Structures are given as structure tokens and as C-alpha cells.
Amino acid sequence: MTATRMTLVAALNASLRTALADDPKTLVMGEDVGRLGGVFRVTDGLQKDFGEGRVIDTPLAESGIVGTAIGLALRGYRPVVEIQFDGFVFPAYDQIVTQLAKMHARSRGLVRLPVVVRIPYGGGIGAVEHHSESPEALFAHVAGLRVMSPSTPSDAYWMLQQAIRSDDPVIFFEPKRRYYDKGEVDTTQPAAPAHTARVVRPGADLTLAAYGPTVATCLQAAEVAAAEDGRALEVVDLRSISPIDFAAVEESVRRTGRLVVVHEAPVFFGAGAEIAAHVTERCFYRLEAPVLRVGGYHSPYPPSRLEDEYLPGLDRVLDAVERALAH
Amino acid sequence: MSDDGIRLLGPDGKRVAHPTYSGDADPGELRALYRDMALARRLDTEGVTLQRQGELALWPSLLGQEAAQVGSVRALREGDRVFPSYREHAVALARGVDPLALFRLFRGVDHGAWDPDAHDVHLYTLVIGSQTLHATGYAHGLTKDGSDAAVIAYFGDGATSQGDVAEAFNFAAVYDAPIVFFCQNNQFAISEPNERQTRVPLHQRAQGFGFPGVRVDGNDVLAVRAVTRAALEHVRSGAGPFLIEAYTYRMGAHTTSDDPTRYRDAAEVERWRAKDPLLRLDRLLRAEHAADDAFFAEVEAEGEALAARIREGVRGMPAPRAEELFDHVYAEENSLVERERAEFAAYQAAFEEV
Ligand SMILES: Cc1ncc(C[n+]2csc(CCOP(=O)(O)OP(=O)(O)O)c2C)c(N)n1
């Protein structure tokens, strides 16, 4: 057994380190990723160990970061770029949507762009504007991009490995609120493929589906529901947002008959809407209750003193669970 | 000319002659400039302290950049419009923005919601470089309206790498927009030094877009004021935009979340400490007998009063009400927001019942 207990940040750091050591074509690039080691220290020590040629402090320009990463990928490199915060990916949105996502299809499969765009995302850290957003749906809506988000240190390590090895562009959303949560990471034992969902807590009464930062919230809700009401909630960690492992969600819902989807992103046009529609189409006669969604509101991410009201916390998840079980 | 740019007042507090620019100022003006800088510094110290005490989410310190900000804002006329980034506390203060409005933003009570029209100071912009385009559009609007007001846009050295800033430079140049681009080159974009952003001195960027640019000693309030005045005159005359690179140094951390010891050495910071903007004006004021001990004591007392007002104001700041989440999302009524507002209210009411 070679598992080590580490934080999610340390797991990401270890994963980047492995990728840099394994493949000389792997590059890490972004603002402050070199000397500083990134504002969250995800790239801590990498420039010292792999040099300025492999771990590149870029000019302050997100469109430039992703655009040049595309060029490096065209030349055979595998760039892993860091966007400093969720709200600052938008200057790069053009490059991601019009170029990164489409080049493979447009070239009839001749051009592959193995670029990973790492984005620390989500709220709950008491930050100022643009530092707490969950824009995953804006990327999941774009064909050609894989979108994923780990919820544990082990998944952080392995899903990032898989993302870097993927020949498709990957938008890799890191739950920054969980950066310092610890968990076991076994770097010798590959985890399940990143596009598959995983039942992280089995239960027969209701399915809670989540990814990234809200998986822990759902596990907590399952804990409380079991202790206080004797309810057995199943928690499914989707892990991948595009594609979504619908088969796993369906399988769970066929057993429980109830589904609540939880994410920090606004529910309007969010991943929950997609899942609800799909499950309604495929499991209509197995459903005992409407699929419910818990998430952010149709309002800009609020000032931090209001974020507890905005975010889908334990109480709001339990409220939805109760409503679903009331049917 | 030193590498630090156009200079009228040296670090030793001695005046420096310049063929084009003049640091003429009567004693009252000199004292007013000192007061502006000292109050801003005191406000800034309070920001750092309050963050350390857990009262603020974050504070971006302006320490070291007082002269760049005060010299430039005091060159403006009433009616000229300011587009700040997020570190321009001295600018906001000098223009009359309620200092507590700045603290509401960094406490996480709102997103910095002062009225931009009240003091002609637009909202802080955290997305690097964006505001330079807004400033350019605003300036173009002034031209179209036949106004003789001008615009000043503040941004950092790191921001010059953004596409938005290049686009702003170009639009402003093509349409002779009455705008002064004011770059505070404080040497760092978080951890990244100038060498990671540019191969040429930043003021030279303007040339490629077809407008003039100069470097000024950003720690010399007299030089900054003189250069900004001339730049404003230039842009007001219809001759197109002007770029000022105020060469200065970020004496503190990038923000209270940052640890600058990871990427710069103490000796460099000490070299810049010797060029302190307040210290040199203090020396001049004393040497020219433009201010006495009583003046400095008075400014200090005023600073303490400001700090006390901020402290009390911040600690007593009412938390926002949860329902505010749904306020002002749109200018016009929106059915989706209203439905969510109602659902939220019902949810909260259910909690209050139990
Ligand atoms: C578009 C965008 N990308 C990244 C960031 C994160 N960030 C905040 S401040 C900063 C450095 C800014 O440096 P500079 O423009 O020199 O201004 P300074 O903070 O030194 O005043 C960065 C990278 C941001 N706010 N906006």
C-alpha cells in the first residue's frame, strides 16, 4: 500500500510533477505559476525542479495563454495552463470556444489539441468579485471540450493525469474551497476513468448527484438524513460534466426513484437542468418525485457576506431532499 | 534624466530643473499634496490592519504609489472622468468618494457600489485591463458631445499585456479620444516582474499606436502632476490620447493574500524605500519653510481621525440582507428573478417558523 494522505492542492501538485517527469512534452504555463508557485501554490516548486522552459510564467493575458497553448499543442507539446481564478477565464473564452474546441472536428480529425485548462472555481472562500464563480455550464455547452471536476485528492491526482493524457482539450475545474481538504492518494493505483461517475455513498431512498465542491455537501446531507430520519441517501459523484455519465445516474435513479442534483452554478441552464431532462426522458416511470435542483440563483455571484445564502449549503440540500421524499 | 523618468523633486527633497516641465506650486498647494498623500497612506494602513483583524476579506495596498495617484488626480479638472483599477484609493479619496465605500467592497458587503456620477469616479474594476476600453468609449462619447472634459484610465504594468489594453490604445488613437492612459508601473504583477510583461519601457508602447508616451518618476508628486497636466491639455486639444508611465514601486504585498518574500529580495525594497514619495515632499516642505511641525501634527491628527472613522464604520457596517441577492439583477422587471425571489422568501419563512 503506497497511499499517502495529502491535500487536494498537494495531489494536483504531485500529478503535475508526475506529468512533467514522465513526458518532456508536458508544459505548465500561466500567471505566477513559476517562481510564486501559483496563488494557491498548486505549482509550488515545479519551476525550481523542471526549469523555466517547462514551467512558464506567462504575460498577464488569458487569451494569449490559451492561444499560445494551442500553438504549442500544434507543435507537439501538451500544455497544462492555469487560469488564476474562475472569473478571469473569459478573456480566453474566445480562444477556447472558437479554436480549442473546434480544431479537431474542423480538421476532420487531423489536428489534436491536448491542452488542459485548469481553473480554480467555486465560492465559499470569502473572496471578492470574480473569484468565486462556477462557469462550467458555459464550457459544457460547447462541443469538443471535455469538462471535469474532481472532488477528492485522489481524483484530483488521477483525473488530472487522465486529462493531461487525453488527446482532447479538457477544462479542468478545481474546487478551490476543497483545496486544503485531505484524503488518501495512491499514485500507483489508477482511479476509474475520468468520464465515469462513481457512487460514493450507497443508499436506497434518494439519489444526490453532484460534482466538485458540492460532493462533500451531499455526503454531509446523507450523514444527517441517516442520523436524524433514518433515510438512506445515495451520493453519486459525477466527476465529469461533459460528457455526463448518464448511465450511472440512471442506474442509481432506477433504484432510488428520486433525484436531487446539487451544484454551485446557477440552476438556470445548469448541469442540473440537463440531468433532470435526461432522467425524465429515460426513467420517467421509475421516478417517484420530480427531479429537483439545488444551486446558485439567477443573480451575479454576490458579495462574500451573502455567499452563504447563495450557495447550496447543507440546509438547502436537506430541504430539497425532504421535498422529494414528501412525494 | 534618470531611469525613473521625468523628475522635478529628488528623493533628497531637492528640486530638479527640467526644460519642459515645471514643479511650481505655492506653499498651500504643496501642503495640500502632502495632506492628500498622508491621508491616503493612513487609510491604506488601516485597510491592511482591518484585514489582519479579520474585518476585511482582502486589501490591496497602495503603499509607495501615493505620489503617482495624488499627482495625477490633482491634475484633473472638475468634470474629468476617472476609470480606476482596484488600488486607486488615493484617487478615490481625493475625489471625494466616501472612503467607507471602498471598505464595503473589500469587506464583501457589496461590489463597490458608489455612484460613478457623484464624483466622476467609475467603479473599481478587478478584471485586469477591462476598464481601459470603458474609459476609451467614455472619452469618445465626450468628443461626440462636444464636451471639453477628459478621461484618465488607471492600470498596472501587468495590465499592459492584456489584449483589451492594446485595443483601447488603438481605438483611442484612431479616434483621437481625449484620454490619458495612466500606467502605474509598480514593477510587479503579483509575482511577475516587468521582464515578463514587456521588452520595451512601457511608455514606448504608445509610439507604435501613434500617440505620445512618457515616463515620469512616479514617486515625485510634482513631476506626476506637471506631466499629467500637460497630458490632459494635449488630449483636450483634440490631439489624441497620451500615455503616462508612472515609474514607482509596490512597497507592500500585492494584496493581503500575497507573500512577496517568495519572489523579491529585501534589498530591492530598501532601495525603493529611500525614494519614498512622502518623505521627499516632507523634506521639501521643511527646506522651503512651507510647513512647520504644527502642520505635520495637524495632518497626522486628521489621519488618525480618518482611521478612527473607518474603523468604526467598518465594524459597524450592516451586513447585507439576504433578499438583496435578487435586487438590481436587471434594470427592468424580470420574471425569472422574481420567481426565485419568491421561492427564496418562502424557503426562509419556512425556517423562521420552526
Ligand atoms: C483578467 C484577469 N486575470 C488575472 C487576474 C488576477 N490578478 C489580479 S491582480 C493581478 C496582477 C496585476 O498586475 P498589474 O496590472 O501590474 O497591477 P498591480 O496589481 O500591480 O497594481 C492578477 C494577475 C485578474 N484580476 N484579472
Side-chain angles (χ1 to χ4, degrees), chain B residues 95-280:
Chain B
R95 275 252 143 170
V97 173
D98 176 4
L100 286 174
L102 307 175
F103 286 83
R104 275 197 285 277
L105 190 168
F106 292 109
R107 188 173 168 83
V109 166
D110 65 25
H111 287 316
W114 58 83
D115 176 1
D117 289 339
H119 303 281
D120 274 309
V121 179
H122 186 66
L123 308 178
Y124 273 8
T125 299
L126 270 50
V127 181
I128 302 295
S130 278
Q131 76 280 5
T132 58
L133 282 166
H134 313 153
T136 299
Y138 192 95
H140 188 51
L142 290 173
T143 309
K144 290 166 77 66
D145 292 347
S147 164
D148 67 351
V151 171
I152 188 165
Y154 290 92
F155 53 100
D157 42 288
T160 63
S161 295
Q162 284 286 16
D164 277 7
V165 175
E167 293 171 32
F169 283 7
N170 195 47
F171 189 109
V174 165
Y175 283 104
D176 289 333
I179 177 169
V180 174
F181 292 108
F182 195 89
C183 176
Q184 289 172 83
N185 181 354
N186 66 7
Q187 313 300 324
F188 289 95
I190 309 187
S191 72
E192 294 195 23
N194 273 198
E195 304 89 84
R196 286 284 164 270
Q197 311 294 347
T198 187
R199 276 286 187 200
V200 299
L202 289 172
H203 65 96
Q204 290 180 12
R205 289 272 177 96
Q207 206 183 353
F209 289 91
F211 60 93
V214 301
R215 178 183 281 179
V216 61
D217 178 346
N219 287 12
D220 171 356
V221 71
L222 296 182
V224 173
R225 194 180 64 151
V227 167
T228 311
R229 273 183 177 165
L232 284 162
E233 215 169 289
H234 172 94
V235 309
R236 244 188 266 283
S237 75
F242 199 103
L243 172 64
I244 297 173
E245 176 192 6
Y247 205 70
T248 180
Y249 197 81
R250 196 194 75 211
M251 294 301 289
H254 169 69
T255 67
T256 43
S257 301
D258 176 42
D259 173 12
T261 63
R262 288 177 73 101
Y263 54 82
R264 67 184 191 188
D265 58 67
E268 181 182 278
V269 181
E270 285 319 304
R271 273 200 302 284
W272 277 92
R273 200 180 303 283
K275 303 188 200 181
D276 185 75
L278 271 83
L279 184 60
R280 64 174 90 173

Side-chain angles (χ1 to χ4, degrees), chain A residues 7 14 57 70 161 218 274 318 321:
Chain A
T7 62
D57 269 330
I70 290 171
Q161 286 294 300
C218 289
E274 187 55 41
L318 287 171
V321 166

Side-chain angles (χ1 to χ4, degrees), chain A residues 9 30-44 57 82-86 88 118 120 125 131 174 176 179-180, chain B residues 189-192 254-255 257-259 262-263:
Chain A
V9 161
E31 294 156 11
D32 304 290
V33 298
R35 185 125 187 223
L36 184 65
V39 295
F40 291 105
R41 310 292 185 260
V42 171
T43 57
D44 193 20
D57 269 330
E82 175 175 298
I83 299 295
Q84 204 159 75
F85 281 92
D86 34 64
F88 305 136
R118 295 181 34 243
I125 64 161
H131 292 71
E174 301 172 359
K176 66 171 99 81
Y179 263 164
Y180 304 104
Chain B
I190 309 187
S191 72
E192 294 195 23
H254 169 69
T255 67
S257 301
D258 176 42
D259 173 12
R262 288 177 73 101
Y263 54 82

